[in-house]
């Protein structure tokens, strides 16, 4: 089937409050396509407030969709939870987001006894399998691990408020990952990789902007991560954590790699993350012709690639 131009809103389930998708009976190359659809204000008492998807070898594609204001564990019961927006698992299949938004989703975990620890992962997306993010926005998602007791030795961990890539390959191009947040507070709060957290597998980012995330733009735990022609700026704490191969990118405070700079990218504003005339990111990306923007709209300067989400051929 194709789901097109629908609104799936204000639903509740144990898992996948808006959509619970099982494509495991399909063959490789088959897919479910969801177009121009809004999945919003849904809740799950477990995980995956908006969408739970088990793909097997099939593909799930979102084109021009908005996944917004979905919540996992809305009543904040004790325990570890994940995936406020989307939980996705697959073997040989993949989930693809094109021209879509995953914004303002929340996952709550809670600990209310003394000397307990609690973990939350993936406020926007929790992926166990290949994930492609193309011309899309991952913004304002929350992975909250809440210490509800007074004092003691509680530890609250949040990982990947925007995207938590547990396994598989993450590929992101011309996308913005911004304003995602981890812990709101607690006795001992430890947010990691609030933009992107790569637990294992691979992450390849080309012409992306990671900015204004609460703690770290990207963190690689035990995978392989590469970033090229991108902007990583105005994130709290480290901009890049763990081992990441970064080249031809603008990284606040500097980062070792060919062609990297460390200069204010000069965005339109802190919410409009397009570079403007005078930005040092103009014509500063990799000069290889495969990255040229061809002076397409939104690009600035010559045909050489601009750093950030609005540069390059995409």
């Amino acid at each position: 089937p194709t789901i097109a131009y629908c609104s799936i809103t204000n639903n509740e389930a144990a898992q996948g409050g808006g959509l619970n998708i099982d494509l495991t009976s399909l063959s490789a190359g088959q897919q479910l396509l969801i177009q121009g659809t809004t999945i919003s204000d849904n809740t799950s008492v477990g995980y995956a407030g908006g969408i739970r998807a088990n793909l097997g070898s099939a593909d799930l594609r979102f084109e021009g969709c908005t996944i917004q204001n979905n919540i996992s564990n809305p009543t904040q019961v004790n325990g570890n939870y994940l995936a406020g927006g989307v939980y996705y698992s697959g073997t040989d299949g993949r989930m693809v987001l094109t021209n879509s938004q995953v914004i303002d989703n929340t996952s709550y975990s809670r600990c209310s006894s003394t000397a307990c620890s609690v973990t939350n992962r993936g406020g926007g997306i929790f992926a166990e399998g290949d994930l492609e993010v193309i011309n899309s926005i991952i913004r304002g998602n929350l992975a909250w691990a809440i210490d509800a007791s007074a004092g003691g030795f509680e530890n609250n961990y949040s990982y990947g408020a925007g995207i938590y890539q547990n396994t598989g390959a993450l590929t992101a191009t011309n996308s913005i990952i911004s304003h995602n947040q981890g812990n709101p507070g607690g006795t001992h709060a430890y947010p990691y990789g609030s933009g992107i957290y790569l637990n294992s597998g691979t992450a390849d980012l080309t012409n992306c902007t990671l900015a204004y995330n609460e703690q770290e733009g990207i963190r690689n735990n035990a995978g392989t991560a590469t970033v090229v022609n991108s902007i990583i700026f105005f994130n709290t704490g480290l901009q890049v954590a763990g081992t990441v191969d970064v080249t031809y990118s603008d990284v606040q405070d500097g980062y070792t790699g060919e062609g990297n700079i460390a200069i204010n990218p000069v965005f339109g504003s802190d919410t409009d993350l397009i570079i403007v005339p005078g930005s040092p990111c103009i014509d500063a990306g990799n000069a290889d012709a495969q990255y040229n923007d061809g002076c397409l709209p939104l690009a600035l300067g010559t045909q050489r690639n601009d750093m950030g989400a609005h540069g390059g051929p995409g």
Side-chain angles (χ1 to χ4, degrees), residues 286-302:
N286 191 313
D288 192 303
Q290 67 175 313
Y291 298 114
N292 284 354
D293 57 41
C295 300
L296 292 169
L298 299 184
L300 300 172
T302 70

Side-chain angles (χ1 to χ4, degrees), residues 110-302:
R110 187 181 180 91
C111 168
S112 59
S113 62
T114 303
C116 66
S117 296
V118 66
T119 298
N120 196 284
R121 297 175 291 169
I125 300 173
F126 182 101
E128 291 187 303
D130 294 351
L131 170 65
E132 294 184 26
V133 181
I134 304 166
N135 290 337
S136 293
I137 296 172
I138 315 295
R139 185 187 70 230
N141 301 287
L142 310 179
W144 282 12
I146 301 166
D147 168 18
S149 62
F153 301 96
E154 300 77 21
N155 295 307
N156 313 319
Y157 302 95
S158 69
Y159 302 93
I163 299 174
Y164 184 96
Q165 189 73 31
N166 194 38
T167 59
L170 166 64
T171 304
T173 56
N174 294 105
S175 293
I176 296 172
I177 297 93
S178 72
H179 298 91
N180 300 289
Q181 299 182 43
N183 296 65
T187 306
H188 302 102
Y190 303 100
Y192 295 109
S194 292
I196 298 173
Y197 187 94
L198 177 63
N199 187 50
S200 65
T202 62
D204 294 292
L205 278 61
T206 303
N207 279 108
C208 289
T209 297
L210 284 69
Y212 296 102
N213 297 288
E214 182 194 49
Q215 186 72 19
E216 303 169 350
I218 180 171
R219 172 178 281 267
N220 177 24
N221 176 47
T224 301
T226 61
V227 178
V228 62
N229 300 334
S230 296
I231 298 171
I232 309 177
F233 232 88
F234 301 122
N235 304 286
T236 304
L238 295 173
Q239 305 300 307
V240 179
T243 302
V244 182
D245 181 11
V246 182
T247 57
Y248 293 97
S249 295
D250 189 8
V251 184
Q252 186 174 347
D253 301 322
Y255 196 84
T256 301
E258 184 178 1
N260 290 338
I261 61 175
I263 310 171
N264 188 325
V266 192
F267 294 128
S269 70
D270 60 0
T271 55
D272 183 11
L273 302 183
I274 186 171
I275 58 173
V276 298
S279 168
C281 298
I282 298 169
D283 293 344
N286 191 313
D288 192 303
Q290 67 175 313
Y291 298 114
N292 284 354
D293 57 41
C295 300
L296 292 169
L298 299 184
L300 300 172
T302 70

Side-chain angles (χ1 to χ4, degrees), residues 27-93:
S27 302
Q30 293 183 297
Q31 69 176 20
L32 170 63
L33 175 61
I34 302 177
Q35 294 177 305
T37 290
T38 298
I39 301 99
S40 66
D41 299 291
N42 304 288
T43 62
S44 66
V45 295
Y47 62 92
I51 301 163
R52 177 186 181 274
N54 187 357
L55 305 188
S57 298
D59 293 346
L60 172 62
R61 294 179 176 272
F62 293 92
E63 296 180 356
C65 293
T66 297
I67 302 166
Q68 183 174 15
N69 287 333
N70 302 287
I71 303 174
S72 63
N73 188 25
T75 58
Q76 301 179 28
V77 300
N78 286 343
N80 299 321
Y81 292 85
L82 52 87
V86 184
Y87 172 88
Y88 147 62
S89 64
T91 50
D92 299 321

